[in-house]
Amino acid sequence: MSSDIDATPENWREIIRTNDDGLIPVIVQEATSAEVLMLAWMDVEAVSRTLETKRATYWSRSRQEYWVKGETSGHVQHVRSLSLDCDADALLMLVDQTGPACHTNTPTCFTGRTISVD
């Protein structure tokens, strides 16, 4: 994959590289603060739904179903942008987060889980 190829609404399906399960990891970052909120998984359909609705839609590996962030909790992620990395095998999604991002009710899925390196 050449790093000079940009993904567009017309060609991203041809460029995107999923794993053997048809999934691609997505790093979710708060657009204003740049804080990393969570890591989740999408398939091509979840990406399509996210682009169409501008609401973060993921694939749940444990439940084997789609879920829209905030659908039950109210902690919605309004999508500002979705970008492929240089190898087209990971996504970065910038969102406006309403409420905690983590299902444990913490601001991020990484809050309070630091492994120190001294």
Side-chain angles (χ1 to χ4, degrees):
M1 164 109 227
S2 173
S3 63
D4 61 352
I5 297 174
D6 287 331
T8 67
E10 294 79 28
N11 74 0
W12 69 266
R13 284 178 181 81
E14 300 161 19
I15 297 172
I16 198 169
R17 294 177 52 208
T18 59
N19 66 14
D20 291 341
D21 295 322
L23 301 174
I24 186 167
V26 56
I27 301 162
V28 184
Q29 187 176 28
E30 215 296 317
T32 304
S33 70
E35 185 170 32
V36 174
L37 301 175
M38 57 187 275
L39 171 78
W41 295 90
M42 292 177 143
D43 64 4
V44 170
E45 178 64 22
V47 173
S48 293
R49 291 180 186 194
T50 297
L51 292 171
E52 182 179 316
T53 64
K54 296 189 180 23
R55 295 272 310 274
T57 303
Y58 304 107
W59 176 254
S60 171
R61 295 180 300 163
S62 60
R63 295 189 312 267
Q64 294 290 294
E65 65 184 16
Y66 295 102
W67 57 282
V68 178
K69 183 69 172 167
E71 202 167 51
T72 57
S73 68
H75 303 156
V76 177
Q77 291 176 342
H78 294 281
V79 179
R80 284 206 199 174
S81 70
L82 189 59
S83 304
L84 280 165
D85 76 343
C86 59
D87 294 323
D89 62 358
L91 292 164
L92 175 64
M93 185 161 43
L94 299 182
V95 303
D96 293 317
Q97 176 71 45
T98 302
C102 189
H103 72 280
T104 64
N105 241 11
T106 55
T108 80
C109 291
F110 302 98
T111 302
R113 296 166 181 87
T114 302
I115 300 171
S116 294
V117 180
D118 293 326

